[in-house]
Amino acid sequence: MKKREAVIVGVADVPLKDGRVAEPLSVLQVQARAARDALRDAGLSMRDVDGLLSTGMWGVPGPGQMPTLTLAEYFGIAPRFVDSTNIGGSAFEAFVAHAATAIETGRCEVALITYGSTQKSEKSRSLGGRPSVLTMQYETPWGMPTPVGGYAMAAMRHMHEYGTTSTHLAEIAVATRKWAQLNPAEMMRDPLSIEDVLGSPMISDPLHLLDSCLVTDGGGAIVMTTAENAKALGRTPVYVRGYGESNTHWTMVAMPDLTRLTAAEIAGREAFRMAGIGHDMIDVAQIYDSFTITVLLTLEALGFCKRGEGGAFVSGQRTAPGGAFPLNTSGGGLSCAHAGMLGIFLLIEAVRQLRGECGERQVQNARTALVHGTGGALSSGATCILSRS
């Protein structure tokens, strides 16, 4: 019997204007729009969907605490495989892994992954954006802004231990902006220099405003099925070659090591092991960029450079267009869009790169992509390795 191989066969995101959905839509409508377009991209319809995976942000407008129940009702479907795991922004990389497992074992034929947010339109995001839980008692009452305060602590410690500088972090923001300037769907297109980043307002020392992601609306969807189904549909499949996930903490006081993303190390190691490839086989990477320090720490954790060498790795615009390591080619969360949970949009960009659909920002001969999501305050990590063959 031929092995069932899971592939991504359709993707879509909802157009934005100045960081907001282009027309007034509820979060459910945003997800429905993205789902409709992704299914069209796949040559399928909602009646074909028998797997549904979705989650959302705490305390913001959306499908509530039971998103798959709400969405199944709204979409008019009765899926036989559901998942609403919430591990923050990395949830969607985990969803790809979970959907792949479900498809390969026959638990579903067509899996739909969705996300939507109107946080900018609703003005629902704040620096206090974490739920009140017992483990926050050592942080929230003392005024640490979240999530930026936790990331700032990690950045400061990395600077202390390894000599990393604000200029190193600014290199990431500048390179990402250069990719955004090639993306017609981006939010930020103005030229950006290292001096601009260092001169922007300090948000949480040592992180500046331009070290920080945007706050936008957004919606996205991914459709997965078998390679055999993709062939029958006449669609170009993107294969899911490897994946991994982990999480270590919720509060910063419980983070095992401020300069080490253990969850990303575990997730990346599992993804590379499953894919059976080395780091030199990755043609393009999409790495969660909630803050510049997130990218630097993740590059180290995934093994693209040694601990403490992230600053040197990104120097000289290595991750910019024309650089040796194409990274966050849409403009990422720093310059394109960040709708609260970025992971699904990293996957959509990776698929488009592998299908050769990115126009001016297309990475030539991109055959293999790594996508890594981060959730919470450097709390969770999930990695996917995708290929076009």
Side-chain angles (χ1 to χ4, degrees):
M1 183 176 179
K2 187 176 180 180
K3 178 185 176 182
R4 292 166 59 94
E5 288 186 281
V7 300
I8 297 172
V9 73
V11 296
D13 52 5
V14 175
L16 302 180
K17 183 178 181 180
D18 298 324
R20 295 179 172 85
V21 288
E23 56 184 291
L25 298 171
S26 70
V27 174
L28 286 174
Q29 289 172 320
V30 168
Q31 294 194 63
R33 185 72 55 86
R36 178 201 66 186
D37 292 346
L39 285 164
R40 285 179 179 173
D41 186 40
L44 295 164
S45 66
M46 191 63 76
R47 65 177 176 270
D48 297 308
V49 174
D50 60 352
L52 182 61
L53 305 90
S54 187
T55 192
M57 293 182 63
W58 303 276
V60 300
Q65 294 181 344
M66 300 182 184
T68 55
L69 272 65
T70 305
L71 287 167
E73 177 182 315
Y74 193 75
F75 294 160
I77 60 175
R80 59 194 179 103
F81 175 79
V82 296
D83 189 350
S84 56
T85 298
N86 194 337
I87 52 173
S90 62
F92 303 95
E93 285 69 31
F95 282 157
V96 167
H98 301 175
T101 301
I103 289 167
E104 288 165 0
T105 56
R107 294 190 63 192
C108 69
E109 288 293 322
V110 176
L112 173 64
I113 303 170
T114 72
Y115 174 68
S117 170
T118 55
Q119 62 171 9
K120 186 176 179 69
S121 295
E122 300 288 342
K123 299 180 180 178
S124 59
R125 189 70 182 265
S126 73
L127 286 174
R130 292 289 185 253
S132 177
V133 294
L134 181 63
T135 52
M136 290 287 179
Q137 66 180 300
Y138 302 110
E139 295 176 8
T140 303
W142 312 108
M144 187 174 83
T146 56
V148 63
Y151 287 82
M153 289 174 63
M156 188 69 82
R157 186 66 192 179
H158 202 275
M159 290 176 172
H160 172 75
E161 287 196 22
Y162 301 112
T164 305
T165 67
S166 291
T167 297
H168 288 139
L169 299 182
E171 289 263 13
I172 296 168
V174 171
T176 308
R177 178 65 59 87
K178 290 177 180 177
W179 284 112
Q181 290 175 313
L182 302 177
N183 183 358
E186 89 333 308
M187 181 174 173
M188 306 295 287
R189 298 200 72 174
D190 293 338
L192 184 67
S193 68
I194 288 175
E195 291 73 24
D196 291 333
V197 179
L198 300 181
S200 64
M202 188 71 75
I203 300 301
S204 186
D205 194 13
L207 298 179
H208 300 80
L209 176 65
L210 294 174
D211 285 303
S212 310
C213 67
L214 305 172
V215 175
T216 72
D217 297 343
I222 296 170
V223 179
M224 296 178 61
T225 187
T226 65
E228 186 176 5
N229 286 344
K231 183 178 180 180
L233 292 164
R235 290 329 197 247
T236 301
V238 169
Y239 292 82
V240 182
R241 295 303 188 192
Y243 43 79
E245 63 186 279
S246 185
N247 54 265
T248 53
H249 63 281
W250 180 218
T251 58
M252 293 306 293
V253 294
M255 187 173 179
D257 183 334
L258 286 171
T259 67
R260 181 179 182 180
L261 303 190
T262 304
E265 290 179 1
I266 294 170
R269 184 168 60 246
E270 284 298 301
F272 276 108
R273 181 194 61 77
M274 186 181 298
I277 64 172
H279 292 72
D280 59 343
M281 294 293 290
I282 301 299
D283 299 311
V284 59
Q286 312 295 336
I287 290 177
Y288 207 104
D289 59 342
S290 48
F291 303 94
T292 51
I293 187 61
T294 317
V295 177
L296 188 145
L297 291 174
T298 306
L299 287 167
E300 294 181 358
L302 293 176
F304 287 105
C305 57
K306 294 180 180 179
R307 286 185 68 189
E309 295 181 0
F313 185 86
V314 301
S315 291
Q317 292 296 280
R318 182 190 185 101
T319 64
F325 192 85
L327 174 68
N328 293 347
T329 52
S330 70
L334 291 170
S335 281
C336 182
H338 194 299
M341 300 174 80
L342 182 64
I344 196 167
F345 304 102
L346 300 175
L347 288 158
I348 291 169
E349 175 68 10
V351 169
R352 288 173 172 163
Q353 283 286 345
L354 294 177
R355 298 197 309 199
E357 299 171 348
C358 291
E360 196 176 357
R361 71 182 189 278
Q362 179 65 45
V363 175
Q364 295 302 309
N365 301 314
R367 300 189 62 86
T368 305
L370 178 142
V371 187
H372 182 84
T374 300
L378 301 168
S379 310
S380 70
T383 307
C384 293
I385 294 177
L386 311 176
S387 78
R388 68 182 189 191
S389 61

